[in-house]
Amino acid sequence: MDYQWYPGHMTRAKRQMQEDIRLVDLVIELTDARAPLSGRNPDIDSLAAGKSRILVLNKSDLSDPDQNRTWTAYFRRKGLIACEVNARSGGGIRQIRPMIQEACREKIERDRKRGIVNRPLRAMIAGIPNVGKSTFINSFARKSAAKTGNKPGVTRGRQWISVDKSLQLLDTPGILWPKFDDREVGIRLAAIGCIRDEILNSQELAVWLIGFLRSEYPGILEERFGVPAEGTGSDVLLRIAEARKCLKPGPEPDPEKAAQLLLDEFRAGKLGRLTLEDARQAEG
């Protein structure tokens, strides 16, 4: 299956971001800590050329803590100011303010020399769909200023949010890029919920996830569902259907219901803290 999703509103959103980038001093890019490299839109690099940058690995409570540290160090070696946060609980949010000051230090100093004081910094919040941009803004600003939702495509228009007199944030819609050169990137993004489920083959995606978990996190499936993990991924999916009473009339196991259940539990962190790509392989 081809895991591509690029509706028309993303083209308009990208065009709007191209116009708005001149209004901001820095770009705070969010990525999902469960797929930190796959979740970075390469178009944002070109859009933000010449701007100060911060990379935030959000949803770090759902991802492998060892991988969180390794990925953060990886991005810092690439020259990015990077950190991990859990915007939903507010974990790690306090480090963002000093990072903004660090990222904009030269600009602040230039303004000071020109006699420009008390001008608020402006930051664009960017990223692909469903990485938690609006939740991050609300946690950072300590108010419900941005619309949130647990599915991609909630934010459609731009929103300016004043954190205080010294900082303004621009919320932007999540945008993907038109074509994934690597099919695995699309699969990872589909697994973490960054592509609309309505266009996906849930059973195929669940079988991929089963294969990944058996390889990288052995024992997880047996522990969570109480079923043997031997055989094909489809075999395991049928066992999960039987164990969780995902049944068709008859009754017989319903692999479609089991696939959605597996994906929902993975996305909610019920299988444990898991990361879908290894920073050590990225180094290679």
Side-chain angles (χ1 to χ4, degrees):
M1 183 177 176
D2 189 19
Y3 290 87
Q4 303 286 342
W5 181 51
Y6 194 73
H9 77 268
M10 289 190 184
T11 299
R12 296 189 295 272
K14 180 180 176 181
R15 191 178 303 122
Q16 185 65 60
M17 289 174 68
Q18 289 171 327
E19 295 175 6
D20 291 340
I21 196 71
R22 60 186 176 82
L23 304 175
V24 303
D25 304 303
L26 77 154
V27 173
I28 300 176
E29 179 188 355
L30 268 67
T31 188
D32 191 309
R34 294 169 295 179
L37 195 59
S38 293
R40 296 195 65 207
N41 184 341
D43 288 344
I44 292 176
D45 282 336
S46 57
L47 283 169
K51 296 291 181 179
S52 299
R53 301 283 299 278
I54 295 174
L55 180 65
V56 175
L57 281 67
N58 193 26
K59 304 188 181 183
S60 62
D61 58 313
L62 301 176
S63 53
D64 187 322
D66 290 336
Q67 286 290 342
N68 287 346
R69 290 187 289 271
T70 308
W71 274 113
T72 301
Y74 167 85
F75 288 121
R76 287 174 178 169
R77 286 194 296 273
K78 296 293 182 182
L80 284 166
I81 299 173
C83 65
E84 58 180 270
V85 306
N86 173 10
R88 186 172 51 183
S89 70
I93 290 293
R94 287 187 177 183
Q95 63 189 311
I96 301 299
R97 176 71 79 166
M99 286 183 168
I100 290 173
Q101 295 296 313
E102 177 187 350
C104 295
R105 184 173 60 250
E106 292 182 4
K107 190 232 177 295
I108 294 170
E109 182 61 21
R110 285 198 306 271
D111 283 354
R112 187 189 65 78
K113 289 180 178 178
R114 294 171 183 167
I116 302 172
V117 293
N118 298 325
R119 176 190 175 278
L121 293 170
R122 286 182 161 187
M124 175 183 285
I125 310 301
I128 67 171
N130 205 32
V131 291
K133 295 184 297 297
S134 296
T135 302
F136 170 81
I137 288 174
N138 291 340
S139 182
F140 187 39
R142 297 184 180 181
K143 56 187 175 184
S144 297
K147 186 178 180 182
T148 64
N150 192 28
K151 61 181 180 179
V154 172
T155 302
R156 288 297 182 91
R158 62 175 178 173
Q159 305 176 72
W160 281 104
I161 295 96
S162 292
V163 177
D164 52 36
K165 292 181 179 179
S166 65
L167 180 63
Q168 296 176 342
L169 305 178
L170 176 60
D171 190 13
T172 61
I175 59 169
L176 293 168
W177 52 112
K179 184 172 177 57
F180 304 132
D181 294 328
D182 183 349
R183 182 174 178 271
E184 288 287 308
V185 168
I187 292 174
R188 293 185 196 109
L189 297 187
I192 61 176
C194 294
I195 297 174
R196 280 197 180 278
D197 282 341
E198 291 84 354
I199 71 164
L200 302 177
N201 183 323
S202 297
Q203 290 185 56
E204 182 184 81
L205 186 57
V207 166
W208 175 89
L209 181 59
I210 288 168
F212 174 85
L213 294 174
R214 289 195 299 191
S215 171
E216 303 301 323
Y217 293 95
I220 286 286
L221 293 167
E222 293 92 335
E223 180 181 346
R224 179 64 186 173
F225 298 106
V227 300
E230 294 85 11
T232 68
S234 296
D235 292 337
V236 177
L237 194 58
L238 286 174
R239 292 186 199 119
I240 292 173
E242 292 172 344
R244 289 298 188 86
K245 309 300 182 188
C246 298
L247 305 174
K248 297 178 181 179
E252 62 178 293
D254 189 333
E256 182 63 28
K257 288 182 181 177
Q260 197 57 58
L261 180 144
L262 174 61
L263 293 170
D264 288 345
E265 294 205 357
F266 163 71
R267 292 167 181 170
K270 293 180 180 179
L271 304 185
R273 297 181 63 179
L274 310 171
T275 298
L276 297 182
E277 53 190 355
D278 193 330
R280 290 162 293 193
Q281 294 178 2
E283 291 281 13

